[in-house]
């Protein structure tokens, strides 16, 4: 069986179990046959158990069985809603499967451009897996290019661009945008990865990819018009907390380091978001808006 077909079966099992509180193997099998997942062939218990193990290994999704009813269910649905690589992979494969079945209507599907710099992903992943350093060529916008060797720590996807978090020879953590790479090679030199490093923890206090010494802040914003529901369905940050809601607005709070990535995101929503606290951040936003007005 082709890998694409196997992935399709994994995704079908996950999405079907997500839609119900629980299904017995017989109930799952009837739906399997009705949906033509395997060209009408039934879902054998042995195949299902192999798929359960593979789904756990690949996506971290646990399919448990209720001993009294013999119904199978996903016991950790939160895995499908966080920003882990497993959640991203599941989402990507789901979209891939849908699009693969939609060739007949491709002229009616409007997509965004694929992330830039993806040609370097295989080399970076290999370097991360083997703890090999990378020899890279890099050129910032409107700056001289340079070449150097770095130790790759993590990858992050943000606003359709891939970014590499790496330690340079000056013992500094730096972010490198893959679309600004001019070359990349796997170096012979290896490095020792800290056992306590967590990419999720490293970026947890930030929005986006810029990580600097901006102080932590308790930010309160007021969402007007359409924005409350937008933020409820797509939170800006994992610390987002809804404070108060009225027919006219809703207040949300965030505990993070408000870098320019975060401020730029707030500005992107124009008059839908107003910063209330802290006062110095409100004044900073006012100044940024004033500078923007000078250009019009």
């Amino acid at each position: 069986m082709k890998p694409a077909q196997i992935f399709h079966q994994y995704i079908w099992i996950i999405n079907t179990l997500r839609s119900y509180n629980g299904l017995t193997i017989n109930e799952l099998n009837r739906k399997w046959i009705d949906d033509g997942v395997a060209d009408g062939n039934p879902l054998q218990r042995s195949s299902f158990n192999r798929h359960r193990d593979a789904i756990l290994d690949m996506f971290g999704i646990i399919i448990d069985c209720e001993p009294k009813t013999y119904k199978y269910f996903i016991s950790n649905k939160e895995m499908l809603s966080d920003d882990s690589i497993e959640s991203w992979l599941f989402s990507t494969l789901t979209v891939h499967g849908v699009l693969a079945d939609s060739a007949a209507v491709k002229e009616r599907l409007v997509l965004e451009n694929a992330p830039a710099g993806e040609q370097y992903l295989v080399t970076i992943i290999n370097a991360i897996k083997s703890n090999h350093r990378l020899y890279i060529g890099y050129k910032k916008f409107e700056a001289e290019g340079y070449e150097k060797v770095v130790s790759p720590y993590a990858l992050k996807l943000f606003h359709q661009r891939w970014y590499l978090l790496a330690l340079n020879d000056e013992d500094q953590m730096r972010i490198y945008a893959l679309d600004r790479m001019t070359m990349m090679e796997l170096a012979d030199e290896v490095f020792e990865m800290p056992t306590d490093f967590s990419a999720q923890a490293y970026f947890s206090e930030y929005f986006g990819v810029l990580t600097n010494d901006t102080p932590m802040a308790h930010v309160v914003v007021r969402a007007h018009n359409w924005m409350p529901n937008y933020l409820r369905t797509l939170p800006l940050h994992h610390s987002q907390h809804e404070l108060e809601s009225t027919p006219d607005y809703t207040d949300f709070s965030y505990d993070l380091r408000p870098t320019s990535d975060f401020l730029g995101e707030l500005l992107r929503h124009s008059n839908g978001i107003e910063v209330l606290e802290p006062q110095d951040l409100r004044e900073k936003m006012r100044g940024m808006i004033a500078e923007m007005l000078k250009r019009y």
Side-chain angles (χ1 to χ4, degrees), residues 228-229 231-232 239-246 249-253:
N229 286 329
L231 294 177
R232 290 184 185 114
S239 67
Q240 178 174 301
H241 180 65
E242 186 168 330
L243 301 177
E244 178 187 2
S245 185
T246 75
Y249 62 82
T250 301
D251 293 345
F252 295 89
S253 70

Side-chain angles (χ1 to χ4, degrees), residues 45-75:
R45 185 179 295 274
S46 58
S47 297
F48 174 65
N49 287 331
R50 286 197 299 272
H51 287 352
R52 285 176 67 192
D53 293 339
I55 287 169
L56 176 60
D57 290 340
M58 181 174 294
F59 305 112
I61 296 173
I62 301 172
I63 299 176
D64 276 331
C65 182
E66 169 57 51
K68 293 182 179 180
T69 62
Y70 298 104
K71 290 190 174 185
Y72 292 92
F73 64 98
I74 296 175
S75 61

Side-chain angles (χ1 to χ4, degrees), residues 26-54:
N26 289 332
E27 292 171 336
L28 194 64
N29 180 52
R30 284 197 295 271
K31 295 182 181 299
W32 175 279
I33 294 174
D34 291 344
D35 288 353
V37 179
D39 298 324
N41 295 313
L43 175 62
Q44 303 293 340
R45 185 179 295 274
S46 58
S47 297
F48 174 65
N49 287 331
R50 286 197 299 272
H51 287 352
R52 285 176 67 192
D53 293 339

Side-chain angles (χ1 to χ4, degrees), residues 58-295:
M58 181 174 294
F59 305 112
I61 296 173
I62 301 172
I63 299 176
D64 276 331
C65 182
E66 169 57 51
K68 293 182 179 180
T69 62
Y70 298 104
K71 290 190 174 185
Y72 292 92
F73 64 98
I74 296 175
S75 61
N76 61 338
K77 288 185 178 181
E78 68 276 4
M79 283 295 297
L80 298 170
S81 59
D82 63 17
D83 57 356
S84 66
I85 185 65
E86 292 85 1
S87 177
W88 180 82
L89 180 60
F90 172 75
S91 177
T92 300
L93 289 174
T94 299
V95 173
H96 179 273
V98 171
L99 294 181
D101 293 335
S102 306
V105 295
K106 64 180 182 180
E107 296 302 324
R108 295 166 66 179
L109 301 176
V110 182
L111 307 176
E112 293 185 341
N113 291 330
E118 60 184 4
Q119 68 269 29
Y120 298 116
L121 289 178
V122 172
T123 302
I124 295 174
I125 293 295
N126 287 335
I128 289 176
K129 288 166 59 178
S130 61
N131 283 348
H132 272 77
R133 304 191 76 197
L134 287 169
Y135 181 59
I136 65 171
Y138 196 74
K139 186 180 187 306
K140 294 181 180 180
F141 296 138
E142 300 180 359
E144 292 292 328
Y146 59 85
E147 296 179 358
K148 67 187 324 175
V149 179
V150 298
S151 302
Y153 271 53
L155 276 167
K156 183 166 185 177
L157 181 62
F158 178 64
H159 285 177
Q160 290 185 263
R161 282 187 167 90
W162 283 104
Y163 294 87
L164 170 66
L165 175 67
L167 186 71
N168 62 23
D169 286 334
E170 290 75 42
D171 203 32
Q172 300 167 327
M173 294 291 267
R174 290 288 184 264
I175 288 286
Y176 301 94
L178 267 60
D179 61 339
R180 284 162 242 173
M181 299 281 187
T182 57
M183 57 84 64
M184 179 182 295
E185 295 177 0
L186 202 65
D188 293 331
E189 183 183 357
V190 297
F191 70 100
E192 185 174 347
M193 185 71 184
T195 57
D196 60 348
F197 176 79
S198 166
Q200 298 291 333
Y202 184 86
F203 287 104
S204 65
E205 296 178 346
Y206 300 91
F207 172 88
V209 294
L210 293 180
T211 56
N212 52 37
D213 57 358
T214 298
M216 286 288 293
H218 180 70
V219 180
V220 178
V221 305
R222 178 159 293 174
H224 300 272
N225 306 323
W226 68 92
M227 282 305 300
N229 286 329
Y230 184 95
L231 294 177
R232 290 184 185 114
T233 55
L234 191 63
L236 294 183
H237 189 258
H238 63 83
S239 67
Q240 178 174 301
H241 180 65
E242 186 168 330
L243 301 177
E244 178 187 2
S245 185
T246 75
D248 298 320
Y249 62 82
T250 301
D251 293 345
F252 295 89
S253 70
Y254 303 89
D255 293 290
L256 43 59
R257 299 179 186 272
T259 62
S260 57
D261 275 348
F262 182 65
L263 301 187
E265 181 67 14
L266 298 183
L267 288 172
R268 188 170 73 88
H269 298 293
S270 64
N271 64 345
I273 287 183
E274 172 192 2
V275 174
L276 301 182
E277 302 176 15
Q279 185 61 33
D280 62 335
L281 188 61
R282 182 178 173 88
E283 292 300 326
K284 186 173 184 178
M285 290 289 289
R286 188 197 303 273
M288 294 172 68
I289 295 170
E291 288 299 317
M292 292 171 60
L293 285 174
K294 291 178 181 180
R295 298 186 182 274

